[in-house]
Amino acid sequence: MKKARRALLGRSLKPVRIACINYAEEMMSDRMMARLTAALQKCYDEHFLPVWGYPVDLDVTRKPKPTDWQLVYFDDATHKNFLGRHELTHRGQPISKIFLKALGEDDPVSLAASHELFEMVLDPMANLWADKTRHTQYAYEVCDAVEEEAFLVNGFPMSNFVYPSWFEPFKHPRGTRFDHMGSLKAPFSMTEGGYVIKKVNGRRVVKQFGSPEKRRRFAKEDRRGHRSEFRDPQGEHHAGRRAAKPRG
């Protein structure tokens, strides 16, 4: 029994390989892709991993392995390789997408990429919810509540993210940290530039914003293809090549 437990623990700590693929030929060079990926790996290992404990290896490639998760960069959703990509690859593996032309001047690619990476790792199927009350659940997204805040790694702005305590509705000791940059003071709270996705009474999915200004900015954004869209019954979805076929 002890050997079995040790073997299982060792397997659970093996890093997940995430294939980083650059289809954004107009917007990002291979050199920039390499620099960005190195900075993301450093950010993940030094900031995210000690908090959440889920190791990953980021690998720049054009040929992902069948077991790879994917972090894919596009100029926009019209790229030929976007066809068939939704919240899972056609092999059923998790995937996140970054659309560079949709990013504003105040939204660097590293901020969007770290946001997508962190949230994919913690909720790869985009289907987890945390209970605040019997009637209200919050989407298990770790960057949305603080998504306009950033810290620097190798000169690249990286997304702030919440801590496990943010998803815990009970009282916490004084000094408890709820996000990496120390902006939040309570579970399920958000910054003025953040938002949250809630499910009410087990059915109705709503978005709540940290400020009226954030609501207006959000309404102007092109969120097609983002992971959060797959939680929203009214969101725009891009079906995968095998999405219509039952798995298993």
mmCIF file of all heavy atoms in Angstrom, residues 27 30 40 63 72 97 144 153 171 221 248:
data_model
loop_
_atom_site.group_PDB
_atom_site.id
_atom_site.type_symbol
_atom_site.label_atom_id
_atom_site.label_comp_id
_atom_site.label_asym_id
_atom_site.label_seq_id
_atom_site.Cartn_x
_atom_site.Cartn_y
_atom_site.Cartn_z
ATOM 1 N N MET A 27 1.977 39.274 -36.016
ATOM 2 C CA MET A 27 2.087 40.047 -34.787
ATOM 3 C C MET A 27 3.241 39.637 -33.880
ATOM 4 O O MET A 27 3.643 40.404 -33.008
ATOM 5 C CB MET A 27 0.781 39.936 -33.996
ATOM 6 C CG MET A 27 -0.462 40.392 -34.752
ATOM 7 S SD MET A 27 -0.525 42.165 -35.004
ATOM 8 C CE MET A 27 -0.808 42.735 -33.330
ATOM 9 N N ASP A 30 9.302 34.632 -34.010
ATOM 10 C CA ASP A 30 9.725 33.448 -33.268
ATOM 11 C C ASP A 30 10.649 33.821 -32.107
ATOM 12 O O ASP A 30 10.611 33.191 -31.051
ATOM 13 C CB ASP A 30 10.443 32.473 -34.206
ATOM 14 C CG ASP A 30 9.488 31.806 -35.190
ATOM 15 O OD1 ASP A 30 8.274 31.839 -34.950
ATOM 16 O OD2 ASP A 30 9.980 31.261 -36.203
ATOM 17 N N LEU A 40 7.182 33.330 -19.186
ATOM 18 C CA LEU A 40 6.011 32.659 -18.630
ATOM 19 C C LEU A 40 6.413 31.489 -17.746
ATOM 20 O O LEU A 40 5.832 31.279 -16.676
ATOM 21 C CB LEU A 40 5.109 32.170 -19.766
ATOM 22 C CG LEU A 40 4.265 33.212 -20.490
ATOM 23 C CD1 LEU A 40 3.609 32.593 -21.723
ATOM 24 C CD2 LEU A 40 3.201 33.799 -19.569
ATOM 25 N N LYS A 63 4.503 20.965 -33.510
ATOM 26 C CA LYS A 63 3.956 19.617 -33.571
ATOM 27 C C LYS A 63 3.698 19.091 -32.160
ATOM 28 O O LYS A 63 4.537 18.397 -31.583
ATOM 29 C CB LYS A 63 4.914 18.683 -34.316
ATOM 30 C CG LYS A 63 5.101 19.051 -35.780
ATOM 31 C CD LYS A 63 6.021 18.068 -36.482
ATOM 32 C CE LYS A 63 6.173 18.411 -37.963
ATOM 33 N NZ LYS A 63 7.076 17.453 -38.655
ATOM 34 N N VAL A 72 -1.982 28.525 -27.569
ATOM 35 C CA VAL A 72 -1.822 28.847 -28.986
ATOM 36 C C VAL A 72 -2.068 30.336 -29.222
ATOM 37 O O VAL A 72 -3.048 30.905 -28.737
ATOM 38 C CB VAL A 72 -2.791 28.015 -29.850
ATOM 39 C CG1 VAL A 72 -2.462 28.186 -31.328
ATOM 40 C CG2 VAL A 72 -2.729 26.539 -29.459
ATOM 41 N N LYS A 97 -6.286 29.978 -25.970
ATOM 42 C CA LYS A 97 -5.952 30.734 -27.169
ATOM 43 C C LYS A 97 -5.776 32.210 -26.835
ATOM 44 O O LYS A 97 -6.488 32.751 -25.993
ATOM 45 C CB LYS A 97 -7.069 30.561 -28.206
ATOM 46 C CG LYS A 97 -7.310 29.110 -28.599
ATOM 47 C CD LYS A 97 -8.605 28.921 -29.351
ATOM 48 C CE LYS A 97 -9.817 29.104 -28.471
ATOM 49 N NZ LYS A 97 -9.979 28.070 -27.453
ATOM 50 N N ASP A 144 -9.706 36.414 -13.370
ATOM 51 C CA ASP A 144 -10.763 37.360 -13.735
ATOM 52 C C ASP A 144 -10.983 38.450 -12.684
ATOM 53 O O ASP A 144 -11.157 39.619 -13.014
ATOM 54 C CB ASP A 144 -12.081 36.620 -13.951
ATOM 55 C CG ASP A 144 -12.068 35.768 -15.214
ATOM 56 O OD1 ASP A 144 -11.133 35.912 -16.020
ATOM 57 O OD2 ASP A 144 -13.001 34.970 -15.380
ATOM 58 N N VAL A 153 7.889 40.174 -14.787
ATOM 59 C CA VAL A 153 8.850 39.067 -14.776
ATOM 60 C C VAL A 153 9.664 39.179 -16.066
ATOM 61 O O VAL A 153 9.096 39.145 -17.167
ATOM 62 C CB VAL A 153 8.156 37.696 -14.710
ATOM 63 C CG1 VAL A 153 9.176 36.566 -14.836
ATOM 64 C CG2 VAL A 153 7.358 37.554 -13.427
ATOM 65 N N LYS A 171 -14.604 32.472 7.408
ATOM 66 C CA LYS A 171 -13.747 33.536 7.916
ATOM 67 C C LYS A 171 -12.292 33.072 7.964
ATOM 68 O O LYS A 171 -12.006 31.908 8.249
ATOM 69 C CB LYS A 171 -14.202 33.950 9.320
ATOM 70 C CG LYS A 171 -15.543 34.665 9.329
ATOM 71 C CD LYS A 171 -15.901 35.155 10.726
ATOM 72 C CE LYS A 171 -17.219 35.913 10.720
ATOM 73 N NZ LYS A 171 -17.575 36.413 12.066
ATOM 74 N N GLU A 221 -14.919 44.610 -25.669
ATOM 75 C CA GLU A 221 -13.892 43.618 -25.989
ATOM 76 C C GLU A 221 -14.446 42.504 -26.870
ATOM 77 O O GLU A 221 -15.633 42.185 -26.824
ATOM 78 C CB GLU A 221 -13.324 43.007 -24.706
ATOM 79 C CG GLU A 221 -12.559 43.989 -23.846
ATOM 80 C CD GLU A 221 -12.057 43.353 -22.572
ATOM 81 O OE1 GLU A 221 -12.027 42.103 -22.501
ATOM 82 O OE2 GLU A 221 -11.704 44.086 -21.635
ATOM 83 N N GLY A 248 -16.147 8.752 -25.574
ATOM 84 C CA GLY A 248 -16.227 7.637 -24.653
ATOM 85 C C GLY A 248 -17.137 6.588 -25.180
ATOM 86 O O GLY A 248 -17.234 5.507 -24.707
#
